[in-house]
Amino acid sequence: MKIPYNRLHAKGDVLFAARGGSIHSFSLLDGKHISTWQHPDATKVAAASDDARDVDESEPPAKRQKMGDGKDLKVPPAGDADATPAAETPATDGDAAQNEGDSGSKANDKKNKKKNKSDRERQQLGRVPDRPVITELTSTADGRHVLAVSGHDKIIWVFEHDGQGGLKAISQRTMPKRPSAVTVGPDSQIISADKFGDVYALPLIPKPPSPSSAARSPPTTSPAAVSQPAAPAANTLTVHSKRNLEALQNQQRQLELRRERGLAAAEQPKDAPGFELTLLLGHVSMLTALALGESGGRAYVLTGDRDEHVRVSRYAPQAHVIEGFCLGHREFVAAMVVPASRRDVLVSGGGDEELFVWDWKAGEQLSRASVLSLAQKVAPQTTKVAVSGLTSLVYPSQEGPLTYILAICEGVPAIFTWQLTDDNALHHPSIIQLPANAMHLSVSLADEARPRLVVAMDPAQTSAKSLHGYSLTTDNSRLITDTETPFHDEEVEANEGDASEDEVRRLLYTVEHLRKKSDGGEDEPTNGDAAAEAEAEMAQVAEE
């Protein structure tokens, strides 16, 4: 099967649609394909995949290579004992037990089977380099620049947009950790949240390198130290899982080691990126969602994490000041949106059964709306949902502009919509049923009278196309689709590389994996409830 579209962004009359390592642009007026940008590693992966097909599954796996700029990918021939280092395919407990002649208990057998399965999965991953996948796609407010993140190499790409759908890459910067969300700040700064829990700021347009550094730095970067805090903002009172407590202890040990070596906290490490990068704030938990807010003339950074928190922090240069928290999620936060018509309102969703509506500045929960009950109408066997995308739109009705919230859930072939009423409640729920699982969605407001909705889907075993467009209308205040807009991507489809269904799921179905285990494992709480932890964390922050 072909890898489906997984990321969309509509700007004006142009739709940018990412599938795999390519970004395609289409006209929203007639659905015609305009241009294609392809990640440099896409052809390398295709060549490596062809070589890997000739490798016997019983042979040792090929060494997994890191794909860097200008570096060739080498896949050693099957049977090469040196091709797989011990660090990549460690011996399992089961292997050791067999060598020692120990039969082991049933519990050990079960544990060994699980480890053996993990080893086999790692071996399969080791045969072919990571496929480039665009994980984030957005643009500046004026549409002159488009941002994309390629997840496998942690690169933030900046493109110059000619206004007609043509893209020209003008910079690529490899982040310290894999970005999980990006947006553009009011001062032309890229704000990037990563899976390590940090939020960075970097200039949209990099400064040109100095003559002395031009020889050792890429032309689109300039050496600059990364601003680092002198100590973690968190402490033992503000973490509530064993995993996060271990992460905090590791951070503290690293700082102690630097002090012992006489290194300043802000001193540049050897592997620091060679471009201007500023650390704004950090969570102990993995960051999963990012939004910017504005209130009283001040900008704010809104962050959601795997530990059910929505944190409100001031924007740079006071990003160390935590303004408050929106507490109420029981599961991970995966998506957030601040409606353009309600800048004081935040809607968030994730692993919970409901969407949450907040007065984010006050940290007050305004209302909730059930997502699970709607999902069960589409798939009755559904017992839990993972909200993977949220967006909003303003519909120009005869009664005046109406604000709607749209949500999709991982693995569910539908879009769920609500009207956000004047009392900040989600009413008039509606279901837009799709022929395949929704992957991403975007709204175009270029036609003020007829908003357009574009949906990326995973056709899998269906005959549906991956990219669909719809005109929107209302019926008794419920948002519904009217006419369908076809996209002419037959040539794009034909040139797209093949991927197995398992590979598509591994690459693109990542939201449900954020859910913590409920078997008393590593994520079991260690102390306090969320509210007490948030108050303790805020007490450690120096207010103005």
Side-chain angles (χ1 to χ4, degrees), residues 58-208:
S58 62
E59 301 280 356
K63 182 177 179 180
R64 190 171 184 169
Q65 298 288 336
K66 180 179 180 180
M67 294 183 291
D69 294 338
K71 295 182 180 179
D72 294 332
L73 293 172
K74 299 179 181 179
V75 181
D80 186 352
D82 296 331
T84 307
E88 297 225 2
T89 54
T92 64
D93 291 346
D95 295 335
Q98 184 175 0
N99 293 336
E100 296 173 4
D102 185 6
S103 59
S105 63
K106 292 182 179 180
N108 286 334
D109 290 341
K110 184 176 180 180
K111 181 179 180 181
N112 292 339
K113 288 180 180 179
K114 184 176 180 180
K115 288 189 175 183
N116 287 333
K117 181 179 179 181
S118 299
D119 289 340
R120 287 194 300 271
E121 291 174 350
R122 283 195 294 269
Q123 290 172 2
Q124 291 174 356
L125 291 176
R127 293 186 183 279
V128 181
D130 280 343
R131 179 189 292 268
V133 174
I134 302 301
T135 57
E136 297 292 328
L137 190 61
T138 187
S139 73
T140 55
D142 58 13
R144 294 176 58 186
H145 294 91
V146 173
L147 277 67
V149 173
S150 48
H152 75 294
D153 54 10
K154 304 179 292 186
I155 290 180
I156 294 180
W157 300 82
V158 177
F159 301 90
E160 191 174 66
H161 178 217
D162 62 7
Q164 304 298 321
L167 295 179
K168 177 185 177 182
I170 60 174
S171 74
Q172 59 181 87
R173 284 164 279 184
T174 303
M175 299 297 290
K177 300 295 180 180
R178 183 174 300 173
S180 54
V182 293
T183 188
V184 181
D187 50 358
S188 296
Q189 291 281 307
I190 299 174
I191 309 302
S192 171
D194 65 32
K195 295 189 175 182
F196 197 69
D198 293 328
V199 178
Y200 289 94
L202 57 158
L204 178 68
I205 307 299
K207 296 179 181 178

Side-chain angles (χ1 to χ4, degrees), residues 86-380:
E88 297 225 2
T89 54
T92 64
D93 291 346
D95 295 335
Q98 184 175 0
N99 293 336
E100 296 173 4
D102 185 6
S103 59
S105 63
K106 292 182 179 180
N108 286 334
D109 290 341
K110 184 176 180 180
K111 181 179 180 181
N112 292 339
K113 288 180 180 179
K114 184 176 180 180
K115 288 189 175 183
N116 287 333
K117 181 179 179 181
S118 299
D119 289 340
R120 287 194 300 271
E121 291 174 350
R122 283 195 294 269
Q123 290 172 2
Q124 291 174 356
L125 291 176
R127 293 186 183 279
V128 181
D130 280 343
R131 179 189 292 268
V133 174
I134 302 301
T135 57
E136 297 292 328
L137 190 61
T138 187
S139 73
T140 55
D142 58 13
R144 294 176 58 186
H145 294 91
V146 173
L147 277 67
V149 173
S150 48
H152 75 294
D153 54 10
K154 304 179 292 186
I155 290 180
I156 294 180
W157 300 82
V158 177
F159 301 90
E160 191 174 66
H161 178 217
D162 62 7
Q164 304 298 321
L167 295 179
K168 177 185 177 182
I170 60 174
S171 74
Q172 59 181 87
R173 284 164 279 184
T174 303
M175 299 297 290
K177 300 295 180 180
R178 183 174 300 173
S180 54
V182 293
T183 188
V184 181
D187 50 358
S188 296
Q189 291 281 307
I190 299 174
I191 309 302
S192 171
D194 65 32
K195 295 189 175 182
F196 197 69
D198 293 328
V199 178
Y200 289 94
L202 57 158
L204 178 68
I205 307 299
K207 296 179 181 178
S210 60
S212 61
S213 63
R216 63 178 182 270
S217 300
T220 55
T221 64
S222 59
V226 179
S227 175
Q228 299 285 354
N235 57 61
T236 55
L237 298 177
T238 66
V239 297
H240 64 287
S241 72
K242 294 179 181 178
R243 173 176 53 82
N244 286 351
L245 186 59
E246 292 175 356
L248 176 61
Q249 291 170 345
N250 287 334
Q251 292 178 18
Q252 293 171 335
R253 282 196 294 268
Q254 290 175 5
L255 287 173
E256 291 174 0
L257 183 60
R258 292 181 66 85
R259 294 190 186 100
E260 291 175 0
R261 294 176 178 176
L263 298 176
E267 189 172 332
Q268 176 112 336
K270 293 181 180 180
D271 58 349
F275 54 87
E276 185 178 346
L277 188 66
T278 303
L279 178 63
L280 296 183
L281 59 94
H283 287 224
V284 178
S285 179
M286 175 192 299
L287 284 174
T288 54
L290 172 69
L292 297 181
E294 190 274 333
S295 178
R298 186 192 295 273
Y300 295 85
V301 181
L302 314 179
T303 46
D305 64 26
R306 192 189 176 199
D307 281 344
E308 309 95 40
H309 297 135
V310 175
R311 185 203 288 186
V312 180
S313 305
R314 294 185 185 179
Y315 192 72
Q318 297 177 325
H320 63 282
V321 177
I322 299 176
E323 196 74 20
F325 288 83
C326 299
L327 302 175
H329 283 277
R330 296 288 185 178
E331 295 286 351
F332 61 88
V333 180
M336 304 190 306
V337 63
V338 176
S341 60
R342 306 280 183 85
R343 303 304 296 176
D344 57 338
V345 171
L346 172 73
V347 182
S348 61
D352 293 285
E353 299 178 1
E354 301 167 303
L355 293 185
F356 292 74
V357 181
W358 309 93
D359 177 343
W360 57 263
K361 184 64 167 58
E364 179 184 353
Q365 185 182 134
L366 303 176
S367 63
R368 298 186 186 185
S370 175
V371 181
L372 180 60
S373 61
L374 295 181
Q376 289 175 334
K377 294 181 180 180
V378 178

